[in-house]
Amino acid sequence: MSNLLWQKPGVTVDADIQAFLAGDDVILDRQFIRHDIAASRAHAEGLMQVGILDAAELDAILHELATLDADVERGAFVLDERYEDMHSAIEARLVERLGEAGKKIHTGRSRNDQVLVATRLWLKERLAETATLCREVAIIALQRADAEAMLPMPGYTHLQRAVVSSAGMWWAGWAEGFIDNARRALDTRALVDANPLGTAAGYGVNLALDRAHTTAALGFSRLQVSPLYAQLSRGKFELAALEALGAAMLDLRRMAWDLSLFTSSEFGFVRLPPQYTTGSSIMPNKRNPDVIELLRAAYASVAAARTEVEQLLSLPSGYHRDLQFSKGGLVHGFGRGLGALRLLPGLLRALEWVPERMQAALEPSMYATDLAVQLAVQGMPFRDAYREAADPERWAQGDPAGSLAARTSPGGAAALQLDLLHERLVALA
């Protein structure tokens, strides 16, 4: 490991203690190092403005940071155990290449605001991707809702066959849900879009840093003004981001549950393309819906990350090293969650209904609610109509197309109002 900035003369660093303190930072920071490099560029520009760097030193530092960024991007530089974290790696590279000028880069900074800026920029990207994927899912669902609006299928309550529904209603439900998920991700991105660079360890520094410049240079929409709040927001913003991702993952989990049931031989409502299934290692007759099952499982990783971050926040104000552990949950939660969401659009485009199986599952009892409403429309009090319609003697195999055509309440099968959902979708852009 390179020399530690904070190491005191005469104090020997215990290898086991230092390994515990460093944790998985050199692995986790591979996710964030390019953002830390970008923040270091902006900080260096600010140091020149206050006289810490001259123009030649700034040019040299910016050149070396650009070279390091390119090396990271093409895999020529990889964080490893030589370094404590990404911050020490960047500084070590500048000192190695530039000597005294490189040693100035840490002036007015703390590793705390370094990690805050890097993770904040990373979160903005991940939340933007979350919103993009949710929007893509909503587009597919709206298109299929329109195309399959009146395709009959059973509607379930309590996992029991209840009423006649339609593929259009099924798709419209997911469309509206993922429009809301996209909106939440964008709103959360706006929340975290605040620049903490220049707040150091939570108390500012004795330099008149141009924080408005770094805010613009890094593409933040606003300045996070209070250094104390910059520290208070660490964990709080990460938790909000995981909650936004988790909302989409909850919907994905329930959709995956539907598809797990619908693809089973007992239902047989849906066919999946072969690439979404795997063979059994012991049963030659099996094709298993492993993709759907792992999509269903992926929410657990987001929930675990959320819990881990939440449990770190039982702290007084100010910086605490406990918050270092929030990086692991963040990387794992978004890694697993976005990995699952990326597969969803392709799956939704490819799944095929089996209309004859859905039609066969429609039984006389599923028209009882229609009968109760019809009797009420004819003037019978609904409580009496309900009792009449509950009599199996009144049931008969109905007409699914007629049942769906009569479902005229806004959002029902005959009045899906997809135009309203499309307007909300367009408003996300």
Side-chain angles (χ1 to χ4, degrees):
M1 182 176 291
S2 57
N3 291 333
L4 302 170
L5 176 64
W6 47 264
Q7 187 172 352
K8 301 299 186 289
V11 178
T12 301
V13 175
D14 182 279
D16 290 337
I17 292 175
Q18 182 54 33
F20 176 73
L21 290 174
D24 297 326
D25 270 6
V26 293
I27 297 172
L28 297 171
D29 282 355
R30 293 169 189 171
Q31 295 272 335
F32 308 114
I33 186 170
R34 296 191 67 198
H35 300 297
D36 199 4
I37 293 170
S40 296
R41 285 196 294 264
H43 182 64
E45 292 167 354
L47 290 180
M48 190 194 77
Q49 292 174 0
V50 295
I52 300 297
L53 298 173
D54 61 32
E57 289 173 326
L58 174 64
D59 287 344
I61 286 174
L62 294 181
H63 172 76
E64 290 303 331
L65 288 172
T67 301
L68 176 58
D69 187 53
D71 287 346
V72 172
E73 184 178 22
R74 65 189 177 91
F77 180 89
V78 178
L79 278 175
D80 57 31
E81 64 278 358
R82 290 174 296 169
Y83 306 102
E84 185 180 12
D85 49 34
M86 60 184 170
H87 321 306
S88 60
I90 293 170
E91 189 172 356
R93 175 73 168 252
L94 293 177
V95 172
E96 174 192 343
R97 299 286 179 90
L98 302 176
E100 294 302 310
K103 293 178 182 179
K104 297 182 180 182
I105 190 64
H106 200 66
T107 307
R109 291 205 79 181
S110 165
R111 289 190 301 175
N112 305 312
D113 79 341
Q114 283 187 266
V115 73
L116 269 171
V117 178
T119 55
R120 195 69 55 82
L121 292 169
W122 184 89
L123 273 178
K124 285 177 58 180
E125 291 181 351
R126 295 310 179 276
L127 287 165
E129 183 179 5
T130 302
T132 297
L133 290 169
C134 289
R135 187 176 183 276
E136 186 176 2
V137 169
I139 290 170
I140 296 165
L142 276 177
Q143 290 171 342
R144 296 203 63 167
D146 185 50
E148 300 160 6
M150 301 302 279
L151 176 61
M153 66 181 295
Y156 295 87
T157 64
H158 308 277
L159 291 177
Q160 311 299 313
R161 293 176 187 174
V163 296
V164 178
S165 185
S166 70
M169 291 195 69
W170 191 83
W171 285 116
W174 301 120
E176 187 167 9
F178 277 90
I179 290 169
D180 279 356
N181 293 334
R183 169 52 57 202
R184 185 170 183 181
L186 291 173
D187 289 346
T188 305
R189 186 182 185 276
L191 170 69
V192 307
D193 194 10
N195 176 28
L197 180 56
T199 60
Y203 295 95
V205 294
N206 301 356
L207 293 169
L209 298 173
D210 186 353
R211 298 190 63 209
H213 167 76
T214 58
T215 299
L218 292 171
F220 284 106
S221 66
R222 71 184 188 280
L223 178 68
Q224 193 161 39
V225 177
S226 167
L228 273 76
Y229 182 58
Q231 294 300 325
L232 289 170
S233 67
R234 187 178 181 188
K236 174 182 171 181
F237 280 12
E238 284 82 348
L239 194 59
L242 286 165
E243 287 171 345
L245 174 64
M249 296 302 296
L250 280 170
D251 280 343
L252 186 154
R253 182 169 70 174
R254 298 183 79 174
M255 180 188 288
W257 256 119
D258 277 6
L259 295 177
S260 292
L261 295 171
F262 292 168
T263 56
S264 67
S265 57
E266 285 75 12
F267 283 73
F269 295 170
V270 169
R271 292 192 190 98
L272 295 179
Q275 64 267 33
Y276 291 96
T277 65
T278 62
S280 168
S281 64
I282 192 173
M283 301 169 185
N285 58 309
K286 292 292 297 300
R287 292 295 298 180
N288 300 319
D290 285 5
V291 173
I292 289 173
E293 291 176 356
L294 290 179
L295 290 178
R296 198 171 68 213
Y299 174 74
S301 296
V302 180
R306 183 190 179 283
T307 299
E308 184 174 17
V309 172
E310 184 179 31
Q311 296 309 310
L312 293 171
L313 298 184
S314 300
L315 298 166
S317 64
Y319 172 71
H320 302 273
R321 190 65 178 267
D322 312 47
L323 295 169
Q324 176 184 347
F325 282 1
S326 65
K327 283 194 292 188
L330 202 60
V331 169
H332 182 62
F334 270 93
R336 184 65 59 80
L338 287 177
L341 277 177
R342 290 179 193 126
L343 294 180
L344 189 56
L347 172 64
L348 297 184
R349 288 189 185 98
L351 71 84
E352 298 178 4
W353 298 110
V354 185
E356 61 272 19
R357 290 295 297 265
M358 295 192 292
Q359 176 75 39
L362 300 176
E363 59 186 27
S365 69
M366 300 173 74
Y367 299 90
T369 301
D370 292 345
L371 175 59
V373 175
Q374 290 168 7
L375 294 172
V377 169
Q378 293 167 9
M380 184 180 293
F382 184 76
R383 293 180 67 86
D384 297 333
Y386 180 94
R387 293 190 184 94
E388 286 285 329
D391 181 3
E393 294 295 326
R394 298 292 305 266
W395 297 346
Q397 184 63 48
D399 172 22
S403 178
L404 294 177
R407 204 78 52 75
T408 55
S409 60
L416 290 175
Q417 301 197 355
L418 301 182
D419 55 335
L420 293 180
L421 297 182
H422 186 263
E423 289 174 8
R424 294 182 196 173
L425 181 65
V426 171
L428 294 172

